Structure formats: C-alpha cells, structure tokens
C-alpha cells in the first residue's frame, strides 16, 4: 500500500537576512517522519570552531535536547550521533549533517541548504512521509562560527553564529516546518549573531511541531505517525516488534483521525504465535493501553475499525 513516488526538493537555503511569514508554517505538501529519525552528524566538525571536535558534539546535543524539538510536546522526534558522512547520498534514507557540501547545492550567499525527500504513504492518501533529509554547509561561506563549548555565554563573541541554534533551526525544516514571522522563535528566518537563542524552541515552534506530529501524552515517548485506510492494520513501533528483558509497564497511546474509530492492541509472542494481552477498542478516535507485562517480545497493532486517515502513536516500555 505504500506509494512508489519519491520527490526530492530543495526546502531551505538560509541567508543572513530577515524574511516575512505568518506564524508557524508547514512545508507543502505537509509531511512527517513515520518514526523518530536519526541524524548522522559530521564527526569532522567545523575547523573554525575551537572546541573539542569542531562543534560536532555540540550539534548532537542541541538537536536532541529536551529544550528543542524533543521537548516541544510531540514526544521524542529525533535522535542523533556523530559519524562518518563521506558517503552522503541524497535519497538514501540516511539523514546526514555535513559541514561541507558534497552535493553542491549551497553556493554564493547561501550558508547551508537541505534536500528533503518525501513520498506518499499510500496511493491517493494525501498523507506524505519524509524519507531523507540531508543538511550541507557552504565551505566558501564567510560566516564565522562558534559553539557553547568554545564560547559559553557569548562573552568572547564578535559577530559569530552559534552552530547549535543554527542547526536546530535547520533540523526544524527537516521535521516539516517552514519559517515563522514570530521574532525570537527558532524558525524565524534570521540568524542572530552572538546569541544561541534558536537552540531553544519557543511556543510558536512547538505549536507547529504538534500540528504535524500530534500532542504526546508522554513527553519522553517515541513519536510515530502513519496512515491507515478502513479495515487495515499496521504494526508499531516502526513496523516491528520490540524485546524487553524485565517485568514492567508497556504503555501505548493512539490518536486517530477525528471522525474515525481506530483501535489499539498489544500482542506478546508466546514462542509459537502472537497473543493479544491488552487492547483498547472504544468508539472514540483515541485509545490508550497500560499493561504490566513479563519479559518477552511485544508489538502494538493499530487497526482502522472504521474511517481513514493519518494517526499518531506514542509508546514506552521497560
């Protein structure tokens, strides 16, 4: 049922100039990741940043911080780790942040650019999933960079741009957000020198993210967004089962389309077959499960008893 079409679009070329926009905006067509995406951050860093690794660790910490997108009220949206990005390839499904520009998409006055890959979740659904987002930096840019590791608090800053706030902004585009006209917000299209304010999301940014990924009942839970037609079902999280080695609570929350009746089931594998151990099958579009289970393999099933549309799902387990 997944759509075969894939589109690559240049979604942002950020300049050091203010722009005009409404309050938060969403990329068009509206699109989200199915599961928390994992960025590979260029371990080589930026040579001009004099901290331990050229700002690479600072970027990982900033984009995964609870002060940024993972704390915006939609659940855990993004993961990141340092790594080798020499194999960066647009459309390969591995989001990367490169401090150079092997794709050649960011030249002239461009500081950084992103390529955004997306496709239909199901033919005719109108629901789009992100498939790859790569961020590259213009190595010829005259921008002067710093980080909190090099210059905490900005005491020695002189016209420099903090890599943390800048990258949190760019990752916002990679999550499906456009620019906003709200000054001081992370997604405002102007880079403040000597200020790391964009590393902390504001109310406008967070409202935009929740418009895309829903409002999580569990701040630290992994966020999932998918689409179901009537009478179909999907396995969560991320299309597969998970394993736990301890006894404890398995909790799942489902937010279905407003006019739908989507149900939620928790299955445990008994060595021979999957067996339902908990369910939430009310007539409403939202469901929740809390089950105290033994060690083993588990999975959730989201079932469209009636209705069609995009849903959000969050879970945590021992």
């Amino acid at each position: 049922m997944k759509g075969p079409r894939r589109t690559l679009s240049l979604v942002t070329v950020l300049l050091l100039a203010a722009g005009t926009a409404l309050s938060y905006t969403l990329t068009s067509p509206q699109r989200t990741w199915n599961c928390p995406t994992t960025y590979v951050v260029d371990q080589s860093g930026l040579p001009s940043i004099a901290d331990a690794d050229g700002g690479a660790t600072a970027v990982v910490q900033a984009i995964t911080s609870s002060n940024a997108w993972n704390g915006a009220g939609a659940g855990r949206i993004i993961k990141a780790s340092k790594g080798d990005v020499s194999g960066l390839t647009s459309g390969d499904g591995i989001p990367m942040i490169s401090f150079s520009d092997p794709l050649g998409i960011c030249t002239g006055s461009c500081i950084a650019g992103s390529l955004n890959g997306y496709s239909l979740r199901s033919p005719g659904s109108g629901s789009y999933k992100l498939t790859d987002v790569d961020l590259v930096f213009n190595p010829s840019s005259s921008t002067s960079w710093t980080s909190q590791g090099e210059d905490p608090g900005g005491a020695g800053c002189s016209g420099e741009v903090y890599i943390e706030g800048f990258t949190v902004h760019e990752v916002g585009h990679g999550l499906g957000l456009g620019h906003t006209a709200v000054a001081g917000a992370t997604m405002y299209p102007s880079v403040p020198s000597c200020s790391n304010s964009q590393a902390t999301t504001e109310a406008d940014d967070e409202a935009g993210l929740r418009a895309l990924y829903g409002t999580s009942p569990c701040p630290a839970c992994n966020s999932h967004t998918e689409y179901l037609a009537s009478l179909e079902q999907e396995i969560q999280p991320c299309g597969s089962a998970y394993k736990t080695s301890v006894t404890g609570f398995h909790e799942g929350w489902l937010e279905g389309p407003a006019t739908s009746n989507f149900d939620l089931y928790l299955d445990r594998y008994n060595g021979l077959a999957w067996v339902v151990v908990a369910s939430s099958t009310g007539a409403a579009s939202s469901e929740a499960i809390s089950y105290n289970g033994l060690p083993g393999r588990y999975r959730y099933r989201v079932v469209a008893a009636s209705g069609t549309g995009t849903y959000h799902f969050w879970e945590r387990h021992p």
Side-chain angles (χ1 to χ4, degrees):
M1 294 296 293
K2 303 305 179 186
R5 185 172 74 87
R6 184 180 74 198
T7 303
L8 287 176
S9 61
L10 185 62
V11 295
T12 175
V13 175
L14 186 61
L15 307 179
L16 285 173
T20 58
L22 300 174
S23 55
Y24 75 82
T25 60
L26 310 178
T27 52
S28 181
Q30 181 175 319
R31 53 228 191 222
T32 58
W33 292 99
N34 284 354
C35 306
T37 186
T38 301
Y39 272 88
V40 180
V41 177
D42 191 345
Q43 62 190 7
S44 63
L46 281 163
S48 61
I49 297 179
D51 62 14
D53 56 7
T57 295
V59 166
V60 169
Q61 293 175 344
I63 64 177
T64 59
S65 168
S66 60
N67 292 322
W69 304 117
N70 282 340
R76 191 180 187 192
I77 296 293
I78 184 171
K79 305 174 186 179
S81 62
K82 293 191 298 181
D84 181 2
V85 300
S86 60
L88 188 153
T89 303
S90 181
D92 65 356
I94 306 174
M96 292 185 175
I97 297 175
S98 172
F99 294 121
S100 60
D101 183 14
L103 302 177
I105 65 170
C106 187
T107 60
S109 59
C110 169
I111 300 173
S114 295
L115 276 179
N116 183 319
Y118 60 95
S119 65
L120 277 168
R121 287 193 166 97
S122 183
S125 66
S127 180
Y128 290 86
K129 63 179 179 180
L130 284 157
T131 56
D132 191 21
V133 177
D134 296 311
L135 171 62
V136 299
F137 282 67
N138 182 359
S140 300
S141 171
S142 60
T143 304
S144 297
W145 298 100
T146 189
S147 72
Q148 286 293 309
E150 178 189 78
D151 186 20
C157 183
S158 177
E160 295 168 303
V161 175
Y162 275 91
I163 192 66
E164 296 97 329
F166 183 92
T167 312
V168 170
H169 171 106
E170 285 297 314
V171 165
H173 290 306
L175 294 172
L177 292 169
H179 284 141
T180 179
V182 177
T186 293
M187 297 312 297
Y188 188 69
S190 178
V191 182
S193 60
C194 297
S195 169
N196 199 32
S197 59
Q198 285 182 309
T200 300
T201 55
E202 303 297 335
D204 184 76
D205 307 305
E206 295 165 5
L209 195 74
R210 292 194 299 272
L212 286 168
Y213 294 91
T215 300
S216 174
C218 170
C221 287
N222 290 325
S223 173
H224 310 271
T225 299
E226 260 290 4
Y227 174 91
L228 274 180
S230 184
L231 304 182
E232 290 185 343
Q233 72 171 12
E234 285 178 329
I235 304 301
Q236 292 286 5
C238 300
S240 64
Y242 63 90
K243 185 176 182 179
T244 177
S245 59
V246 297
T247 298
F249 280 94
H250 301 252
E251 297 173 288
W253 295 266
L254 172 66
E255 180 185 299
T259 59
S260 71
N261 179 11
F262 281 20
D263 295 329
L264 184 62
Y265 297 84
L266 177 64
D267 301 333
R268 182 175 183 270
Y269 192 68
N270 67 5
L272 296 174
W274 289 101
V275 177
V276 177
V277 293
S279 63
S280 180
T281 59
S285 59
S286 298
E287 306 289 352
I289 286 176
S290 180
Y291 173 75
N292 190 11
L294 297 170
R297 290 178 62 205
Y298 291 84
R299 70 180 187 184
Y300 285 92
R301 283 183 294 120
V302 180
V303 179
S306 66
T308 297
T310 302
Y311 69 86
H312 305 294
F313 170 74
W314 300 270
E315 63 87 20
R316 64 183 172 190
H317 56 266

